[in-house]
Every structure is written in structure tokens, then in C-alpha cells.
């Protein structure tokens, strides 16, 4: 009975020990596979980098291969094998001299791997072979392009002893004898120390095209930790006294149950740990990646950039940060819904991933902005080539909601170290360059230069001032009269926004109006102008200016406000102003964005009695279609045509055509920027109806316009046209 009990306890101890050893073998095989494949992927990235750059010089190859070997020292050699399968370049040269110039096709295993990699356009590998430079190893081939563009292979050579030996931790080295077999052939053994031949765990694994089997045997110290003193104790107890046998049996059974319970608890704990690790990995991915595209997010990119800067510092190399922002992305969201905007971002992500592969790290900063990191560019020309490829990939249309949509992008670039020496500096300066690219007309790229940061700070400061301007009562209106060219009578005036900040003086509309449109503040400013114009008309009631018509600029962004018409109607009621005394001047952008929505707003304004005109005609998206379909009463010829009409025949032809076309459509014509009598006379002869400009009057504050009207009361009068 004592022997039976001893046997049972020993079996349970062995089972527990075997379970732990099986887990160790499985864990070790997975970790070795993961670390090995990480090195293989580095070869693939280098091959893609070669392909995207159209080839390497020998010096470029050497620098990149040295960097790869520095990051992954397990490589015995990194080689470039040409399309004829001859090893042309090799790093490091020391210890690998015999392989240089070797035609690897003479080795059957290598030739099969080469041909498979070339045919499939993907990684392939040999089994364990005898290397040209000596020793047993594995060779991995990463093809450079395929088809007619095939340029050979980036090759990684691993000594099996060096590779597997480096992937086994010191703790595993101390406790286990690890053997690796390829088929039945032993290819690696880490120790010949005393081990238990009866306790072995194995795991099959297939890192690439070869299949290996991992065998793990515990050393004596590990076995001791997993052994139980109970069997010896039972035998001693049996020889001492049979009277104690029952007690021993009970104790043994209790211990057995306890051990089984502990084993079950251990399995549950391992399962819980695995589940928690999976949850942590998922949570980590959620925290560091964009939910829509799966790309890394801004915080992940900044951490990655910080590490890249350290590598660039050590190697004395460049790196480039590129911020890519879609132009007019808001139009997509407004016209095709936000869902279509998301579709566009996802589709563009796929294009970027296909275009750039592993050459560039890509992240999504949010909205329509992407962040890109290019490490080790050889020159600025390489950065420019990447920027051009990014813009070129936008030329093909995107299909959103069954509609083809064309969109462009702007790119801001900062290059380390000139463009910043920290992640924060590089990103901030790339953003300043992006703003410059936008300001230059979009659909282009711009490099950060010294002074852009100061310019960006000035822009932020201007935005803050502008938001304070209404509260500080710094805004005002100036009025530039319009003149009937036949009678030279004043027929109305255009209300122009002016900003005087005591600390800085007058700030030009050229500076603050584009900023207001970009930030959306133009909506608030626009309603302030309408309110002030209605208030002024109310104050002029019963004076020579009582019936004047004021023209007010209305931007496309203001028309996005669904309550715009109601807000204007409320102001008319508040100040008791008839709609016929207001005219809204629209830029041509109104007629190409949100057309259906804008048309609805404009028709409502017409029904209320307002007059609509097109400002700056001829310099934007001029089209006869919107002249025909939109409720327009007047067009204004841009000053750029008027200023040169005395010397430029092309400008005169354009002016004549615009006047004739407008009159054929029953539209009146106003010329802007008239400064000489010769200009006024020519325009009158061509049939232009009205004009405004310094020849007649500059923009005047309300009191000066009132004085002008009073002085002309008995002669030329300001009246509604």
C-alpha cells in the first residue's frame, strides 16, 4: 500500500512538472519566432526602400546595411544579390570575404528559395545549409520589386548557432537544455549539461519556409524545484510504523487534492493572465491608434519621432517630418455628409500605405491631417520626391457615395536638425510650413524656414486680437460711394469693414479677413457688419442719405449658417430698414460650394426684396451657368482688369465682353477701382452702368459721407439707384 501511494504522488508530481515544461517549450518557440520575424521584416523594409528610390549607390547601400546590422547584430551578413544571383555587395565585409562574387544559384537550396521569392514577389528562405563563408546557417531573400522592374534581392544570412543562441535568455540557458531539429537533424544545442532524459517537451514551429522542432529538457536545478519530498517521506513512514499508515494515506490524499486544486488554480491563473494580457494589448492599441484608419495616432507618432531623433543624433543623419492636410475637406463633409468624409480618409490611408509601404511611418493626427516620418533621407531632393509622390497619388478621383470626387493636399515639412531638434519643435515647425503652403494657394508643399515660427505666433496673436475686437469696440464701417457713369450722380455705397486697434493702429482687411474665413469667425464679423449697416441706415433716415442703398459683402462661409436669413430679417425688423436698401455682394466661390443650400438661401433673400450682385467677377470660378440660374441683378468687374485697361488690350477685350454679356442677361455692371478720368470715360463708352474708386471718393467714415451728401444736396444727390 505504501508503494502504491508513493507511486501515485510521484505520478502527480511528474504531471505537474510536464505541464510546466510544455508551457515553457510553447512560450520559447513563439518568442523565438517573433524575434526572428522582426529581423526578417527589416530586410523587407530595406528592399522596399531600394525599390521606391529606384536603386542605391554603393555608399547608400553601405550606410543602410550598417544601420540594419547595428540594430540587428544577429545577421552574419547582409548582402545585395543581383538579378543574375551573384553576391555583389556585402556588410560587414570582415568574415564574409569568401561570399563576395559567389553565384548562389549553384547551390540547389539557395536557387529554389531565390526563384520562389522572385516568382512570388515576397520573402523566401533556405533550410539550414553550409554557408560560403563557413558554418551552418539560414539565408533569407527579400526581392526588390518584381516583373520587368526586378533588381535582385536584399539577403540576410544567419548562423544558426549565433541566431538561436542569442534568442535564448540567460535564465533559460541556466535551467534548460534546448535542442532544435530540422526534420530529424540536430541543428542547435545550447548545452551538454546533466539533464533528465525522461522529461522532455517539444514544440513545432515554422518561422518561414522551413519547419523546425524545438526540444526542451530541464536541468537538475529546475527538476529539483519541481520535485516533491513526499514520496521519500511515505516510504520512511511505511518502514517505521504501519500504525501510521492510515494517517499517511489520509495526508497523502489531502495533499493530492490540494496539489490538484493548486494545479487547477494555476491553470486558471495562467488563463486569466493570458486574458488580461490580451485586454492590455487591445487597450494599448486603442490608446495609441486611430479607430477609423488603424494608423498610429499623434501621441504614438510623437514617441516614435523622439526615438528616431535619438537614432539620427547617434548616426549624424537627417530625418524629415511631413504634415499632410487635405484641401477643402470641409466641403466634403458639408456636401456629402461626414460619413463620406470618413470614407475619404480611409481610402486615402490605403493609398498612402500602398504608395509608401514601410519606407515612411504614417500616423493620423485627427480630422483630415496625417503625420509622416522619413528617416535617413540622403538629401532634400529625396524628401521633395516623396512630397511629389504624395500629391501625385491624389490626382486620381475618390468614389464617395457613388460620386467621383477630386481633392488635393498641402504639405508642411520640417527637416532635423535645421527644422528643430525635438519632436515638439519639428511638429510645430512642420505645422507652420503647412500653413504657408495653404496660404500660397494649396496643392503644394513648403519647407520650414527660420522665421516661420514667429509668423505662426503672429497669426495666433492676430486671431486672439480679432476675437477681442468686437468686445473692445474696435470695428467700424467705411462707405465708398458708387457713381452713375452717365450722370455722375451718386447712386449708393459699399460698406467696408475697418479695424483700428489702439496698440497697433489700423490693421488691413487683407490680413484679417482671410484669417477670419479660415477660423470661421467671419460668421460673427459678417453679422456685425449687417447689424451696423442697418443701424446706420436707421440713423440716416430723414437726411440726404435716407434712401441710400448699401452693398454688404457676404461670404460662402456665412451662407453655411442655416439661420442666416432669419437673423437678417430680425435685424431689418429691429431697425425698421426696408430690404430694398440692402444689396449683398457675393464672391464667385458661393456658386461652386454647397450649391443647393446656397441657392435656397439666395432665393429667400430675393423673395424678401434684397438685391444680389457678384463681386470681383472674372478672377475666380467664372461661369455663365450660375449667371443664368442664380438670382443675380448685377456683376462687379474686378479692379485688376480696370487698373490696366489704358495699356493692356487684353483687359479691354475682357471688360467689353463682360459688359456685353451682362447686358444681354439683363444684368447691370459696376466697375471697381476706377482711379483716372480716362478709365471712367472708356467704361462709360462701353456701356458700364456704375463705378466706384478713388476718382470719385475713397472709403469714408459715416460723418464724412454725410457731409458729402449734404454739400451735394442742391446738385448731385446720393439716391437709391
Amino acid at each position: 500500500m505504501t508503494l502504491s501511494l508513493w507511486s501515485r504522488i510521484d505520478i502527480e508530481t511528474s504531471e505537474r512538472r510536464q505541464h510546466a515544461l510544455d508551457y515553457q517549450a510553447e512560450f520559447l518557440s513563439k518568442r523565438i519566432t517573433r524575434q526572428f520575424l522582426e529581423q526578417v521584416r527589416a530586410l523587407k523594409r530595406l528592399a522596399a526602400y531600394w525599390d521606391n528610390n529606384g536603386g542605391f549607390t554603393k555608399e547608400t547601400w553601405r550606410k543602410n546595411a550598417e544601420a540594419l546590422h547595428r540594430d540587428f547584430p544577429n545577421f552574419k551578413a547582409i548582402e545585395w544579390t543581383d538579378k543574375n544571383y551573384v553576391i555583389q555587395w556585402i556588410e560587414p565585409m570582415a568574415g564574409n570575404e569568401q561570399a563576395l562574387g559567389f553565384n548562389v544559384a549553384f547551390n540547389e537550396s539557395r536557387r529554389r528559395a531565390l526563384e520562389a521569392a522572385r516568382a512570388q514577389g515576397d520573402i523566401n528562405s533556405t533550410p539550414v545549409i553550409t554557408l560560403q563563408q563557413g558554418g551552418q546557417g539560414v539565408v533569407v531573400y527579400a526581392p526588390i520589386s518584381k516583373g520587368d522592374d526586378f533588381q535582385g534581392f536584399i539577403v540576410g544570412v544567419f548562423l544558426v548557432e549565433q541566431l538561436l543562441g542569442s534568442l535564448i535568455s540567460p535564465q533559460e540557458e541556466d535551467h534548460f537544455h534546448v535542442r532544435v531539429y530540422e526534420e530529424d537533424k540536430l541543428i542547435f544545442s545550447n548545452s551538454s549539461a546533466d539533464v533528465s532524459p525522461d522529461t522532455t517537451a517539444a514544440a513545432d514551429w515554422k518561422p518561414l519556409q522551413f519547419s523546425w522542432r524545438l526540444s526542451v529538457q530541464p536541468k537538475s536545478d529546475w527538476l529539483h524545484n519541481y520535485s516533491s519530498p513526499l514520496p521519500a517521506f511515505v516510504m520512511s513512514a511505511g518502514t517505521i510504523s504501519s500504525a501510521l499508515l492510515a494517517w499517511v494515506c489520509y495526508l497523502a490524499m489531502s495533499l493530492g487534492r490540494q496539489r490538484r486544486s493548486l494545479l487547477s488554480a494555476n491553470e486558471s491563473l495562467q488563463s486569466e493572465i493570458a486574458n488580461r494580457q490580451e485586454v492590455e494589448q487591445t487597450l494599448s492599441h486603442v490608446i495609441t491608434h486611430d479607430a477609423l484608419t488603424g494608423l498610429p495616432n499623434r501621441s504614438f507618432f510623437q514617441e516614435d519621432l523622439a526615438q528616431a531623433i535619438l537614432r539620427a543624433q547617434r548616426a549624424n543623419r537627417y530625418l524629415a517630418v511631413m504634415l499632410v492636410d487635405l484641401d477643402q475637406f470641409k466641403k466634403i463633409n458639408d456636401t456629402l455628409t461626414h460619413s463620406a468624409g470618413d470614407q475619404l480618409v480611409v481610402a486615402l490611408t490605403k493609398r498612402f500605405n500602398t504608395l509608401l509601404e514601410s519606407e515612411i511611418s504614417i500616423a493620423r493626427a485627427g480630422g483630415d491631417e496625417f503625420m509622416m516620418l522619413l528617416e535617413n533621407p540622403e538629401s532634400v531632393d529625396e524628401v521633395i520626391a516623396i512630397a511629389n509622390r504624395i500629391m501625385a497619388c491624389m490626382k486620381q478621383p475618390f468614389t464617395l457615395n457613388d460620386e467621383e470626387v477630386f481633392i488635393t493636399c498641402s504639405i508642411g515639412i520640417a527637416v532635423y536638425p535645421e527644422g528643430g531638434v525635438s519632436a515638439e519643435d519639428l511638429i510645430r515647425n512642420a505645422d507652420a510650413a503647412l500653413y504657408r503652403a495653404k496660404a500660397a494657394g494649396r496643392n503644394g508643399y513648403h519647407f520650414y524656414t527660420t522665421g516661420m515660427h514667429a509668423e505662426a505666433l503672429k497669426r495666433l496673436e492676430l486671431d486672439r486680437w480679432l476675437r477681442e475686437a468686437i468686445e473692445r469696440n474696435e470695428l467700424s464701417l467705411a462707405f465708398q460711394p458708387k457713381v452713375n457713369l452717365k450722370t455722375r450722380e451718386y447712386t449708393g455705397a459699399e460698406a467696408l469693414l475697418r479695424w483700428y486697434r489702439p496698440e497697433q493702429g489700423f490693421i488691413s482687411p487683407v490680413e484679417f479677413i482671410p484669417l477670419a474665413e479660415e477660423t470661421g469667425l467671419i460668421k460673427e464679423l459678417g453679422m456685425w457688419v449687417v447689424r451696423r449697416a442697418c443701424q446706420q441706415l436707421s440713423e440716416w433716415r430723414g437726411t440726404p442719405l435716407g434712401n441710400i442703398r448699401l452693398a454688404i459683402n457676404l461670404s460662402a462661409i456665412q451662407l453655411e449658417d442655416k439661420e442666416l436669413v432669419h437673423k437678417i430679417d430680425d435685424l431689418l425688423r429691429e431697425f425698421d430698414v426696408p430690404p430694398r436698401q440692402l444689396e449683398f455682394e457675393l464672391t464667385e466661390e458661393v456658386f461652386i460650394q454647397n450649391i443647393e443650400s446656397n441657392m435656397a438661401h439666395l432665393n429667400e433673400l430675393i423673395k424678401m426684396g434684397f438685391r444680389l450682385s457678384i463681386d470681383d467677377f472674372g478672377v475666380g470660378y467664372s461661369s455663365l451657368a450660375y449667371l443664368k440660374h442664380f438670382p443675380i441683378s448685377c456683376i462687379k468687374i474686378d479692379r485688376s482688369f480696370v487698373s490696366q485697361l489704358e495699356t493692356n488690350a487684353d483687359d479691354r477685350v475682357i471688360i467689353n465682353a463682360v459688359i456685353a454679356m451682362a447686358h444681354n442677361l439683363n444684368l447691370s455692371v459696376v466697375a471697381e477701382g476706377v482711379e483716372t478720368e480716362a478709365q471712367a470715360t472708356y467704361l462709360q463708352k462701353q456701356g458700364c452702368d456704375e463705378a466706384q474708386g478713388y476718382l470719385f471718393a475713397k472709403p469714408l467714415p459715416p460723418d464724412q459721407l454725410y457731409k458729402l451728401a449734404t454739400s451735394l444736396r442742391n446738385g448731385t444727390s446720393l439716391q437709391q439707384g
Side-chain angles (χ1 to χ4, degrees):
M1 184 175 179
T2 302
L3 290 173
S4 175
L5 182 61
W6 178 87
S7 176
R8 180 175 179 180
I9 294 173
D10 187 57
I11 289 172
E12 289 183 354
T13 302
S14 298
E15 288 176 350
R16 180 170 60 89
R17 191 164 53 212
Q18 186 64 47
H19 177 79
L21 193 61
D22 289 340
Y23 176 82
Q24 181 66 40
E26 185 70 21
F27 173 79
L28 181 58
S29 68
K30 288 181 178 179
R31 181 168 57 76
I32 292 175
T33 301
R34 184 175 64 252
Q35 294 179 358
F36 174 65
L37 291 180
E38 182 180 350
Q39 299 175 67
V40 171
R41 284 191 290 270
L43 290 174
K44 191 172 182 179
R45 285 196 296 271
L46 183 56
Y49 191 28
W50 176 302
D51 184 27
N52 291 328
N53 285 273
F56 283 165
T57 64
K58 189 171 184 178
E59 181 62 21
T60 303
W61 152 263
R62 185 184 62 79
K63 288 182 178 180
N64 282 278
E66 283 181 348
L68 184 59
H69 190 265
R70 187 165 52 250
D71 292 338
F72 299 101
N74 287 333
F75 285 110
K76 167 63 176 172
I78 301 168
E79 304 168 352
W80 171 53
T81 298
D82 65 19
K83 63 177 65 177
N84 296 317
Y85 303 161
V86 176
I87 300 175
Q88 297 289 356
W89 295 337
I90 191 167
E91 283 292 333
M93 183 61 72
N96 293 297
E97 299 90 343
Q98 294 181 359
L100 190 63
F102 177 64
N103 189 323
V104 296
F106 289 116
N107 181 287
E108 183 178 354
S109 296
R110 285 196 175 203
R111 186 175 65 254
R112 283 199 301 266
L114 284 162
E115 291 174 347
R118 182 172 184 175
Q120 298 165 6
D122 201 0
I123 291 286
N124 209 292
S125 62
T126 69
V128 176
I129 61 173
T130 300
L131 300 175
Q132 185 69 14
Q133 48 266 69
Q136 298 294 302
V138 172
V139 185
V140 179
Y141 295 98
I144 305 171
S145 192
K146 55 186 177 180
D148 294 337
D149 297 326
F150 175 67
Q151 300 176 55
F153 304 87
I154 299 297
V155 183
V157 180
F158 299 93
L159 280 173
V160 173
E161 286 288 335
Q162 179 183 347
L163 172 66
L164 295 176
S166 66
L167 298 180
I168 297 174
S169 70
Q171 185 178 12
E172 291 162 342
E173 184 80 28
D174 291 340
H175 293 307
F176 302 102
H177 182 191
V178 180
R179 292 185 177 92
V180 178
Y181 296 88
E182 187 175 70
E183 296 180 349
D184 296 327
K185 179 182 178 182
L186 178 66
I187 60 172
F188 173 79
S189 177
N190 74 321
S191 172
S192 59
D194 181 35
V195 295
S196 171
D198 299 325
T199 308
T200 303
D204 293 321
W205 49 304
K206 190 174 181 179
L208 288 172
Q209 281 68 37
F210 45 84
S211 296
W212 286 352
R213 183 173 182 81
L214 180 77
S215 171
V216 177
Q217 291 180 291
K219 295 182 180 179
S220 56
D221 58 344
W222 188 89
L223 282 172
H224 177 74
N225 292 335
Y226 273 85
S227 296
S228 171
L230 190 57
F233 171 76
V234 172
M235 290 296 293
S236 299
T239 58
I240 294 172
S241 175
S242 61
L244 296 177
L245 183 59
W247 180 81
V248 172
C249 290
Y250 172 77
L251 176 62
M253 293 176 67
S254 297
L255 287 175
R257 286 194 297 270
Q258 182 179 11
R259 288 183 182 277
R260 285 194 297 272
S261 176
L262 289 174
L263 184 59
S264 176
N266 180 58
E267 291 176 348
S268 298
L269 180 60
Q270 292 294 334
S271 177
E272 178 68 19
I273 291 173
N275 290 336
R276 290 197 176 192
Q277 287 176 339
E278 184 177 352
V279 170
E280 288 174 0
Q281 290 173 356
T282 301
L283 182 60
S284 175
H285 189 275
V286 169
I287 293 173
T288 59
H289 286 72
D290 173 57
L292 178 63
T293 63
L295 291 174
N297 59 19
R298 176 183 283 270
S299 62
F300 186 98
F301 182 86
Q302 286 181 296
E303 293 179 5
D304 195 30
L305 175 58
Q307 295 301 315
I309 290 172
L310 293 177
R311 290 193 293 270
Q313 288 175 341
R314 289 195 298 266
N316 194 26
R317 295 183 176 184
Y318 295 106
L319 63 81
V321 172
M322 311 172 77
L323 297 189
V324 181
D325 189 85
L326 303 185
D327 300 328
Q328 308 294 345
F329 180 71
K330 190 174 184 298
K331 294 180 185 177
I332 301 296
N333 284 334
D334 290 342
T335 57
L336 298 178
T337 75
H338 286 271
S339 175
D342 288 346
Q343 292 177 39
L344 176 60
V345 169
V346 171
L348 186 58
T349 299
K350 291 179 180 178
R351 285 196 190 180
F352 284 162
N353 285 333
T354 301
L355 172 73
L356 303 173
E357 295 180 343
S358 56
E359 182 180 350
I360 286 184
S361 300
I362 309 174
R364 185 186 180 207
D368 61 331
E369 185 173 276
F370 294 84
M371 312 172 81
M372 299 184 182
L373 169 61
L374 172 61
E375 293 193 63
N376 306 327
E378 289 299 318
S379 66
V380 172
D381 290 340
E382 183 178 339
V383 181
I384 292 173
I386 296 292
N388 284 327
R389 283 165 52 196
I390 292 171
M391 291 190 295
C393 86
M394 309 286 290
K395 292 182 179 179
Q396 294 298 318
F398 295 86
T399 302
L400 307 175
N401 295 344
D402 297 325
E403 292 187 29
E404 283 195 344
V405 175
F406 290 86
I407 197 163
T408 59
C409 69
S410 300
I411 305 173
I413 306 170
V415 178
Y416 169 88
E418 290 81 359
V421 294
S422 69
E424 293 78 8
D425 288 345
L426 285 167
I427 293 173
R428 182 181 64 246
N429 294 338
D431 190 56
L434 174 62
Y435 173 72
R436 176 65 65 85
K438 293 274 190 183
R442 300 184 174 90
N443 193 25
Y445 60 83
H446 210 289
F447 282 84
Y448 172 79
T449 57
T450 304
M452 276 192 188
H453 181 54
E455 182 179 329
L457 290 177
K458 180 181 177 182
R459 176 172 167 269
L460 290 174
E461 190 173 43
L462 186 65
D463 179 62
R464 179 173 58 82
W465 291 349
L466 188 55
R467 295 179 186 277
E468 297 173 350
I470 295 177
E471 296 178 4
R472 294 179 54 170
N473 199 31
E474 295 173 353
L475 301 177
S476 63
L477 291 183
F479 302 90
Q480 186 170 36
K482 296 180 183 179
V483 172
N484 183 303
L485 284 173
K486 287 184 179 179
T487 65
R488 297 299 174 99
E489 293 180 348
Y490 289 92
T491 59
E494 181 179 2
L496 301 168
L497 184 60
R498 294 293 182 260
W499 179 16
Y500 179 81
R501 184 175 175 85
E503 299 86 350
Q504 281 73 34
F506 278 104
I507 299 177
S508 170
V510 175
E511 291 186 56
F512 70 83
I513 292 297
L515 178 61
E517 290 183 334
E518 181 180 337
T519 60
L521 191 59
I522 193 67
K523 294 180 181 179
E524 185 177 353
L525 292 180
M527 289 312 301
W528 184 92
V529 171
V530 177
R531 167 176 284 278
R532 184 68 190 93
C534 290
Q535 183 181 6
Q536 188 63 69
L537 287 171
S538 177
E539 293 173 1
W540 281 337
R541 190 174 296 118
T543 73
L545 294 173
N547 292 320
I548 188 174
R549 176 189 286 133
L550 294 182
I552 300 172
N553 290 291
L554 195 65
S555 76
I557 297 174
Q558 288 174 265
L559 286 172
E560 295 173 1
D561 185 355
K562 296 180 180 180
E563 299 299 318
L564 175 67
V565 175
H566 297 296
K567 291 177 181 178
I568 293 175
D569 187 49
D570 290 343
L571 290 174
L572 294 182
R573 295 177 186 277
E574 180 181 348
F575 294 103
D576 192 23
V577 173
R580 59 182 172 78
Q581 282 194 265
L582 287 180
E583 175 181 349
F584 291 108
E585 295 186 357
L586 313 165
T587 60
E588 292 178 300
E589 194 175 34
V590 168
F591 306 104
I592 62 163
Q593 297 179 13
N594 306 330
I595 295 177
E596 292 184 7
S597 175
N598 290 348
M599 175 74 87
H601 281 320
L602 298 181
N603 282 328
E604 287 188 68
L605 293 173
I606 288 294
K607 290 177 183 178
M608 292 172 64
F610 295 103
R611 175 176 157 135
L612 304 179
S613 61
I614 302 175
D615 197 15
D616 302 330
F617 184 81
V619 297
Y621 304 90
S622 302
S623 170
L624 296 178
Y626 64 69
L627 293 179
K628 177 180 178 182
H629 297 294
F630 280 81
I632 304 301
S633 302
C634 173
I635 60 176
K636 298 183 72 174
I637 300 175
D638 186 69
R639 65 182 65 248
S640 63
F641 298 110
V642 175
S643 62
Q644 302 294 325
L645 70 83
E646 296 175 67
T647 57
N648 191 311
D650 290 339
D651 285 345
R652 292 195 295 272
V653 170
I654 293 172
I655 288 172
N656 297 347
V658 170
I659 294 172
M661 175 191 64
H663 287 167
N664 286 332
L665 294 171
N666 295 318
L667 305 176
S668 61
V669 182
V670 178
E672 297 181 291
V674 178
E675 298 183 355
T676 68
E677 184 61 42
Q679 292 170 351
T681 300
Y682 181 85
L683 291 166
Q684 178 189 346
K685 289 180 179 180
Q686 300 305 315
C688 184
D689 302 294
E690 297 177 349
Q692 65 185 87
Y694 278 29
L695 174 64
F696 310 109
K698 63 182 182 180
L700 302 171
D703 58 337
Q704 291 187 26
L705 183 64
Y706 178 79
K707 289 179 182 179
L708 176 63
T710 302
S711 67
L712 298 173
R713 186 168 188 176
N714 296 323
T716 304
S717 64
L718 276 159
Q719 62 185 32
Q720 179 185 333

